[in-house]
Amino acid sequence: MPLGRWKKAAPLVGNDEADAESQQLEPEAAGGEPGSGSAPASSCCSSGPPLRPRLVFHTQLAHGSATGRVEGFTNVRELYTKLGEAFNMEPAQIMFCTLNTHKVDMDKLLGGQIGLEDFIFAHVKGQKKEVEIYKSEDALGLTITDNGAGYAFIKRIKEGSLIDRIEAIKVGDLIESINGQSVIGFRHFEVAKLLKGLVKGQLFTLRLVEPLKAFDMIGQRSRGGKSASGGQVGTGKGTLRLRAKGTATVEEEPSAFEEKAIEKVDDLLESYMGIRDTELAATMVDLGKNKKNPDEFAQALDEELGDFAFPDEFVFDVWGAIGDAKAGR
């Protein structure tokens, strides 16, 4: 569901996969020539339907590897499968991806959008660790996100918080289990709810997996950036928007109103639910920007995002944030 003035473009793959594979395509990614990611135009004498544009992106493993190429994916899970093929590994080894940096930089996290000239760095599983924590405070100080393919991980650690005082826990760590309960396959909001529900005054255990790091990243412990919305869009003039449902599309960048509204809603998601997710925030802005009142907006949220069970107070605050962004506040 495109945002605002974003325009839907042709799907990524050709009508005939076999014919598409036989075409010699140049990458439209970092290091590629502008506009070279499309199949050649069909001649007047060709038979059958013309091939549709196909985008190619350059990629490396974040801890170091040769450069590979990925193409033909229409959602995040398919992207991880393609990355696994490119590096001859199981897709389950890939924890998350960053754009244009090999570092564990949450401001550059790949979410639902990739700039057409972005370079994809895949972060893979490294050291496993188990940490026992005494919950001495109501809030742990964690913000959770997920990779869209079954892994929830730590996106931010609040300075001075309970978790900030535990050196073993780092931004980018995959949460594998909580008190022995596996959370692989859980969405970020489900993991955040489990953590929030832990009883104060008791011990609990987190089993975590660090991303494998390059030499220049060893010892790095970032608390995470304030907002991911600025890093999601990428560097290209357009973006590839990946969707959980439907086909990926090439779209124009969001308007100033949409960018501001998405950031405001993402901040509210963190405040209320302990998660950050610009794709979810963008969907909520899209659902609310043309609604006449908060009741219509709440109904649209229930129909599209009912699994989240957003509280009424949160829905009203999101409605107000979208209105403030429209008014330039």
Side-chain angles (χ1 to χ4, degrees):
M1 182 177 303
L3 293 178
R5 62 183 181 83
W6 295 8
K7 297 179 181 177
K8 187 173 181 179
L12 294 177
V13 297
N15 290 311
D16 187 325
E17 279 295 325
D19 287 346
E21 292 293 341
S22 68
Q23 298 294 327
Q24 298 299 314
L25 302 180
E26 294 299 324
E28 185 172 14
E33 292 297 323
S36 59
S38 303
S42 302
S43 67
C44 62
C45 301
S46 62
S47 59
L51 290 174
R52 294 172 289 188
R54 188 164 192 166
L55 305 180
V56 183
F57 295 87
H58 282 172
T59 181
Q60 288 182 355
L61 297 178
H63 63 279
S65 74
T67 299
R69 302 198 314 172
V70 289
E71 61 178 301
F73 55 90
T74 61
N75 57 52
V76 174
R77 288 185 180 272
E78 288 182 8
L79 168 60
Y80 279 59
T81 298
K82 294 291 184 179
L83 288 168
E85 293 171 357
F87 297 113
N88 194 27
M89 67 170 57
E90 290 295 320
Q93 286 296 110
I94 302 169
M95 293 172 56
F96 56 86
C97 297
T98 50
L99 301 177
N100 308 312
T101 179
H102 69 291
K103 296 183 179 181
V104 182
D105 184 345
M106 295 293 107
D107 284 340
K108 302 297 182 182
L109 192 66
L110 185 154
Q113 299 173 10
I114 309 174
L116 300 187
E117 297 178 2
D118 279 342
F119 198 110
I120 301 172
F121 287 91
H123 297 252
V124 303
K125 290 180 179 179
Q127 177 183 348
K128 291 192 174 186
K129 53 194 177 184
E130 191 169 283
V131 184
E132 193 173 64
I133 304 162
Y134 178 74
K135 189 176 182 182
S136 58
E137 303 170 14
D138 289 322
L140 297 176
L142 285 179
T143 298
I144 309 299
T145 190
D146 66 47
N147 68 354
Y151 289 161
F153 56 95
I154 298 170
K155 188 167 188 178
R156 185 190 296 177
I157 298 174
K158 184 178 180 181
E159 187 172 1
S161 66
L162 171 61
I163 296 298
D164 190 38
R165 298 192 290 271
I166 302 173
E167 186 63 30
I169 301 177
K170 297 176 171 63
V171 166
D173 284 355
L174 164 69
I175 302 175
E176 197 172 67
S177 70
I178 302 171
N179 283 337
Q181 177 186 353
S182 173
V183 293
I184 300 301
F186 284 37
R187 292 300 312 277
H188 48 6
F189 63 93
E190 295 172 311
V191 176
K193 185 176 180 180
L194 284 175
L195 291 170
K196 189 174 183 180
L198 293 170
V199 178
K200 183 179 177 181
Q202 294 188 8
L203 289 168
F204 67 95
T205 302
L206 292 181
R207 184 170 295 168
L208 307 165
V209 184
E210 289 186 11
L212 191 60
K213 297 180 176 68
F215 181 77
D216 67 337
M217 292 162 30
I218 295 174
Q220 170 181 300
R221 192 203 191 194
S222 171
R223 292 187 178 89
K226 179 179 184 302
S227 172
S229 58
Q232 293 272 3
V233 175
T235 59
K237 292 182 179 179
T239 62
L240 174 66
R241 188 174 182 196
L242 306 175
R243 304 168 188 277
K245 301 176 182 178
T247 304
T249 53
V250 178
E251 302 168 347
E252 291 181 0
E253 293 184 11
S255 67
F257 146 65
E258 289 159 346
E259 286 185 341
K260 180 176 288 189
I262 290 168
E263 184 171 356
K264 284 176 176 288
V265 174
D266 204 18
D267 287 342
L268 287 171
L269 283 169
E270 181 174 22
S271 175
Y272 276 86
M273 303 181 67
I275 64 174
R276 290 198 80 89
D277 186 332
T278 53
E279 182 183 7
L280 175 60
T283 300
M284 296 178 75
V285 171
D286 187 50
L287 290 172
K289 67 184 191 309
N290 293 323
K291 295 297 183 290
K292 297 178 181 178
N293 56 61
D295 290 335
E296 285 187 7
F297 177 49
Q299 183 177 348
L301 286 180
D302 287 342
E303 291 173 356
E304 185 75 13
L305 302 169
D307 290 345
F308 286 86
F310 296 123
D312 290 343
E313 183 182 0
F314 172 75
V315 173
F316 278 105
D317 282 354
V318 170
W319 172 257
I322 294 172
D324 286 347
K326 281 184 179 178
R329 296 192 293 269

